[in-house]
Amino acid sequence: MTSFEIGLTVCVCVLLIVCIALAVWNIRQIKKVKFLQKSISEFMESGKITDFSVGENTLAQLQNSIADLENRISLEKSNAISQTKKNTEFISDISHQLKTPLAGMRLYCEMQNAENPTEYTKKELQLIERMESLIQKLFKLEKIKSDSYVMDFKNWEIRDIVNEIVSEFHHLFPNKAYSVNGRSELRCDRAWMAEAVGNIIKNASEHTADDGEVSVNIENRNHSTIIEINDNGGGIAPEEIPNLFKRFYRTDHSAPGSAGIGLPVTKAVVEKHHGIITVENKNDGLSVVMCFPHIDGYVTI
């Protein structure tokens, strides 16, 4: 064997060794990447935080960055839950503190109204009822946000829920035209879904003329349920749309006695069903769209 052949053989062997080493290194890198992907998925599903690495390579630094980010997210989530529970406890305490004097005021006002009914005693009773309703709605909103209510998720036909709501509003607004189109089955809490949809239909009914029109369109699309509620009440100013779901916010066209709690409750219910809600002026009225994904379980972050 000549020196050239020997040198060529050595080069081939070295190249083969290098290729094998690179292949082994690449396989290890792929395994590490898959490990990081799995750890991120576990964090998304169960909250399990990725272990820190003692290595000094790039992937080890990435793993430590992921672990640090997960720790920050978990801490922020814990702080948010703690703050929400504090808010709920505060609202609960205030509610209980207010209920007793309100009950006393109602009793005295009812006695006074029974003995000597006047315009003022009737107004007093209306104001007390409004305050009691406001306290109840505010307490309900805070309990939803803090997960104090246990949702009873089952498969329901949305059209049946909407039809039941619409039949109730037919009695309150007999001259309005209601229509329900489409159907879709959704895993949801029936009572809370009725609350969310009912608040939107109520607002639509209150903001249209006596002979106004309210339509509810239900669609099963791309593994999701779409509920679109339209009215012909003329819509609202574009700058008011971002504020609609804020607590106590009332537009210039809000119904008399409105406390600005119904839409925040609706938004909270939609989010508890992993959905989103959007509002826009459309045609000659307001369009509210709720989109709910079709899922069998829960993903927590």
Side-chain angles (χ1 to χ4, degrees):
M1 182 178 292
T2 63
S3 58
F4 173 77
E5 291 174 337
I6 294 174
L8 182 60
T9 303
V10 171
C11 289
V12 171
C13 291
V14 171
L15 183 60
L16 182 61
I17 292 172
V18 171
C19 289
I20 293 173
L22 287 174
V24 172
W25 180 84
N26 187 54
I27 292 173
R28 289 179 177 176
Q29 295 299 97
I30 292 174
K31 287 183 177 180
K32 290 180 180 179
V33 170
K34 288 184 177 180
F35 166 77
L36 291 178
Q37 291 176 334
K38 182 180 178 182
S39 64
I40 293 173
S41 297
E42 289 179 347
F43 174 73
M44 295 290 288
E45 294 173 0
S46 63
K48 180 182 178 182
I49 296 176
T50 303
D51 295 329
F52 277 93
S53 173
V54 295
E56 297 181 355
N57 55 45
T58 303
L59 280 179
Q61 294 175 2
L62 176 60
Q63 179 176 337
N64 290 338
S65 296
I66 291 173
D68 183 57
L69 178 61
E70 290 173 351
N71 273 296
R72 289 172 180 265
I73 292 175
S74 295
L75 180 60
E76 289 297 326
K77 178 185 177 183
S78 177
N79 290 338
I81 292 175
S82 176
Q83 187 61 46
T84 302
K85 288 184 176 180
K86 287 181 180 179
N87 290 340
T88 303
E89 291 173 358
F90 174 75
I91 296 295
S92 177
D93 291 341
I94 293 296
S95 298
H96 287 301
Q97 292 294 331
L98 290 174
K99 282 180 180 179
T100 300
L102 277 175
M105 290 174 61
R106 170 182 281 278
L107 177 61
Y108 287 122
C109 285
E110 288 176 345
M111 291 171 60
Q112 184 179 3
N113 187 58
E115 294 177 359
N116 183 28
T118 66
E119 179 182 348
Y120 298 105
T121 56
K122 292 180 180 179
K123 186 64 176 177
E124 288 172 351
L125 287 172
Q126 290 175 356
L127 291 174
I128 291 174
E129 289 177 359
R130 182 181 175 186
M131 188 174 295
E132 289 175 338
S133 176
L134 175 60
I135 292 172
Q136 182 180 6
K137 289 179 179 178
L138 185 59
F139 188 43
K140 180 187 295 185
L141 174 61
E142 293 300 327
K143 291 194 74 174
I144 294 174
K145 287 187 173 182
S146 64
D147 289 327
S148 297
Y149 284 118
V150 178
M151 295 283 182
D152 183 19
F153 288 94
K154 294 179 182 178
N155 289 328
W156 297 98
E157 174 54 56
I158 295 300
R159 185 184 181 92
D160 295 339
I161 298 176
V162 174
N163 280 333
E164 186 175 329
I165 297 169
V166 168
S167 66
E168 295 177 1
F169 282 104
H170 262 306
H171 298 291
L172 297 174
F173 305 95
N175 296 326
K176 295 188 188 294
Y178 294 95
S179 63
V180 181
N181 307 296
R183 59 175 57 250
S184 178
E185 191 174 273
L186 178 67
R187 184 174 181 272
C188 64
D189 183 294
R190 182 185 177 95
W192 283 113
M193 184 59 63
E195 174 92 11
V197 177
N199 285 338
I200 303 299
I201 296 178
K202 177 176 179 290
N203 280 359
S205 301
E206 292 174 344
H207 290 82
T208 54
D210 291 339
D211 59 348
E213 298 177 1
V214 179
S215 65
V216 182
N217 301 313
I218 306 166
E219 185 178 355
N220 189 331
R221 181 173 60 190
N222 297 330
H223 305 292
S224 63
T225 292
I226 311 294
I227 305 174
E228 182 177 0
I229 302 171
N230 300 306
D231 64 57
N232 63 343
I236 62 174
E239 60 269 18
E240 290 185 328
I241 291 178
N243 300 316
L244 284 178
F245 298 104
K246 292 181 179 179
R247 284 184 300 181
F248 308 120
Y249 182 79
R250 300 175 71 251
T251 67
D252 294 336
H253 305 289
S254 294
S258 172
I261 298 294
L263 289 181
V265 169
T266 292
K267 186 174 185 290
V269 172
V270 170
E271 291 176 347
K272 289 303 176 185
H273 286 77
H274 311 288
I276 57 174
I277 182 169
T278 59
V279 181
E280 65 174 333
N281 287 314
K282 187 175 180 181
N283 299 328
D284 57 349
L286 199 67
S287 176
V288 180
V289 179
M290 292 177 278
C291 178
F292 301 95
H294 293 170
I295 54 179
D296 296 324
Y298 302 90
V299 176
T300 58
I301 298 179

